[in-house]
Amino acid sequence: MTVLDTRALNRATLARQLLLDRAGMPVPDAVAHLGGLQAQEPQEPFVGLWSRLRAFDPAVLSDLLTARSVVRTHLMRRTVHLVTADDVLAWRARHDAMLRQRVLGVYRSELAGVDLDELAAAGRAVMADGEPRSMSELARALADRWPKPGPRPLGELLVAALIPMVQLPPRGLWRTRAGVRNLPLASWLGREIDPPAPDGSDPVGQALVRRYLAAFGPAASADLRAWSGLAGLPAAITAVREELVTFRDERGRELLDLPDAPRPDPDTPAPARFLPAFDNVILGYHDRGRIIDDAHRGLSVAGARVVLVDGRVAATWTVEADTVLVTPLRRLSRADRTDVAEQGRELAAFLSDNESHRVRIVASA
C-alpha cells in the first residue's frame, strides 16, 4: 500500500481546502465544498473565504445569510458552523444524538431527570409564535417548569441540541456586531429537516464520508470522527469502501480517499496563507501533524489566527490600528518574509476597504 508522507498529505490538504491556489468558484459552492466553516467567532469565516477565493466580496456572504441560503447553526462537534441551507437540512438529524450527548456530557448532573422529549416539545411550543429569542430568554420561559437545571444548561440543551435552530442575521454579517437571536430552522428556511432513513440505512453518513474526503482527504476514520463529532460512521465507511482508494501514512494508519481527488506533487509550491481563528484546515483532523507541529497544536484550540508558510503553521497574526501584525513561530527566510508581507498587505487592504496596506513582521521567535 502506498505510503503518503507528511508533505504529500499537506499538499493534498491544501489543494482540497482551496489554499494551494485560490479558487474562482461562487461563495455558496465554496461553503458547500468545505463542508461548512467553523464560525463561533462571527467575522472569522470572511477571512477564511478571502484566503481561499479569488476576488472574494464579503457582501456576497452577508447577502447569502440574509437570503437564507447559508445559515449559522450548531452542527459538527456542537460548534457553530456556517453551512448551506441544503446541507443543514440534510445533515441535522444525523447529528441529533451527538449534539444531545455533548450537552449532557457537560451538564449531566444539572440535567439529570429531565425528560428530553418533554422539554423539546415545550421549547417548540414557546418558539411557535415566530419570535426570535436568545438562549437565556428561551430558558427563562421554561424555568418555572424546570427550575432545577438553571438557565445555562437548560438553554444550551434547547438551542444547541433539542431544537434545530439558526442564529439570525445581523449576527454574522460583515462588520456587524450583534447578539445571538435564535429561530427554529424550519421556520427560517420554510422546510423541515430531512428525517432519518426509514429503513435504518445511513445515506447521510455515507454522503458525509464522501464530502469529508473531498475537502480533507486523504484521511483516517479518526480524522473524520474528529471533524464531525460523530462516532457511528464505521458502517457508512464500510458501505462506500469499494468506491475509495487507500493509503498509509508514516505512522501506519490507513488513509481513505476518493480516487479522483487531487493529490499534488509534494514539491508543489505553497504560497503564504492567512487563516482565521479555529480554521477547519487545522481542526478538521485528529492527527493535525500534516499542517501544524505538535509544539504549536494548542494554538488551534486557543483561537489564534495563524499564517501558513510552505503549507505549515509558521506564525500568528493580529490586527492593530489597521496594521496586520505577524509574529513568527520560527525563523523565516527572506523569501518567506517577502511572501508573508505581500499577503499581509492584501489582507490589511481587505479588512480596511483599501484604506491600509500596512503589515509588520516582528522579530523571529
Side-chain angles (χ1 to χ4, degrees):
M1 190 179 294
T2 301
V3 174
L4 299 178
D5 64 18
T6 298
R7 190 173 175 89
L9 292 175
N10 174 268
R11 292 312 193 253
T13 294
L14 296 179
R16 313 288 174 91
Q17 286 285 310
L18 315 180
L19 292 167
L20 202 55
D21 294 299
R22 283 187 168 95
M25 66 175 62
V27 174
D29 293 354
V31 174
H33 168 75
L34 295 167
L37 292 93
Q38 188 152 327
Q40 68 264 43
E41 296 294 337
Q43 295 297 301
E44 299 302 299
F46 291 94
V47 174
L49 289 172
W50 172 83
S51 291
R52 290 170 164 91
L53 300 179
R54 293 195 292 272
F56 170 64
D57 180 355
V60 173
L61 181 56
S62 289
D63 289 346
L64 289 169
L65 281 161
T66 56
R68 313 186 188 198
S69 299
V70 168
V71 300
R72 293 172 48 82
T73 188
H74 289 88
L75 201 60
M76 283 76 74
R77 307 184 300 279
R78 196 175 71 87
T79 53
V80 176
H81 275 71
L82 196 71
V83 293
T84 67
D86 288 341
D87 280 347
V88 72
L89 291 169
W91 296 355
R92 181 52 167 80
R94 186 62 178 82
H95 289 73
D96 276 354
M98 178 271 293
L99 294 169
R100 293 186 180 202
Q101 289 165 3
R102 292 211 168 193
V103 177
L104 292 174
V106 176
Y107 300 113
R108 191 166 303 280
S109 60
E110 293 91 337
L111 295 167
V114 174
D115 185 306
L116 301 188
D117 292 337
E118 185 180 349
L119 177 61
R124 289 192 183 94
V126 171
M127 299 300 298
D129 61 6
E131 288 297 319
R133 288 177 172 82
S134 68
M135 184 177 73
S136 60
E137 287 171 342
L138 178 56
R140 285 198 300 269
L142 298 170
D144 289 346
R145 191 168 169 186
W146 284 276
K148 178 187 171 185
R152 183 77 188 190
L154 206 62
E156 284 200 28
L157 183 60
L158 286 161
V159 169
L162 296 185
I163 306 174
M165 293 278 204
V166 58
Q167 295 185 356
L168 299 188
R171 180 78 168 177
L173 301 184
W174 178 235
R175 291 186 178 151
T176 301
R177 299 174 69 91
V180 177
R181 308 289 289 174
N182 302 286
L183 199 67
L185 272 166
S187 299
W188 182 244
L189 298 178
R191 291 180 285 167
E192 296 290 340
I193 64 171
D194 296 347
D199 60 0
S201 63
D202 189 12
V204 175
Q206 295 169 31
L208 285 169
V209 172
R210 298 185 189 99
R211 293 281 295 277
Y212 175 76
L213 294 176
F216 293 88
S221 59
D223 297 319
L224 170 61
R225 184 167 61 249
W227 168 74
S228 65
L230 301 174
L233 287 174
I237 292 173
T238 298
V240 303
R241 182 173 282 276
E242 290 187 0
E243 304 173 18
L244 307 178
V245 292
T246 56
F247 303 94
R248 296 276 180 194
D249 65 12
E250 292 175 301
R251 295 167 48 196
R253 298 190 313 160
E254 181 186 57
L255 304 177
L256 307 170
D257 205 7
L258 303 173
D260 299 325
R263 289 180 289 275
D265 187 298
D267 293 327
T268 302
R273 290 288 185 257
F274 283 71
L275 299 183
F278 307 112
D279 194 273
N280 290 10
V281 76
I282 301 174
L283 296 185
Y285 298 97
H286 177 259
D287 181 358
R288 300 171 184 170
R290 68 179 67 194
I291 202 161
I292 187 170
D293 295 343
D294 284 345
H296 303 139
R297 183 183 174 109
L299 295 173
S300 60
V301 294
R305 296 158 159 177
V306 299
V307 185
L308 302 184
V309 175
D310 192 27
R312 298 188 63 79
V313 172
T316 61
W317 68 274
T318 58
V319 178
E320 296 180 6
D322 288 334
T323 300
V324 172
L325 182 65
V326 178
T327 303
L329 298 168
R330 60 172 172 80
R331 186 169 297 280
L332 302 180
S333 70
R334 179 175 297 179
D336 288 340
R337 291 175 71 90
T338 298
D339 189 15
V340 168
E342 180 180 348
Q343 289 292 317
R345 283 190 288 270
E346 292 182 13
L347 176 60
F350 170 73
L351 294 173
S352 68
D353 277 342
N354 287 312
E355 291 184 3
S356 170
H357 293 77
R358 295 189 297 274
V359 60
R360 183 161 68 90
I361 304 175
V362 304
S364 297

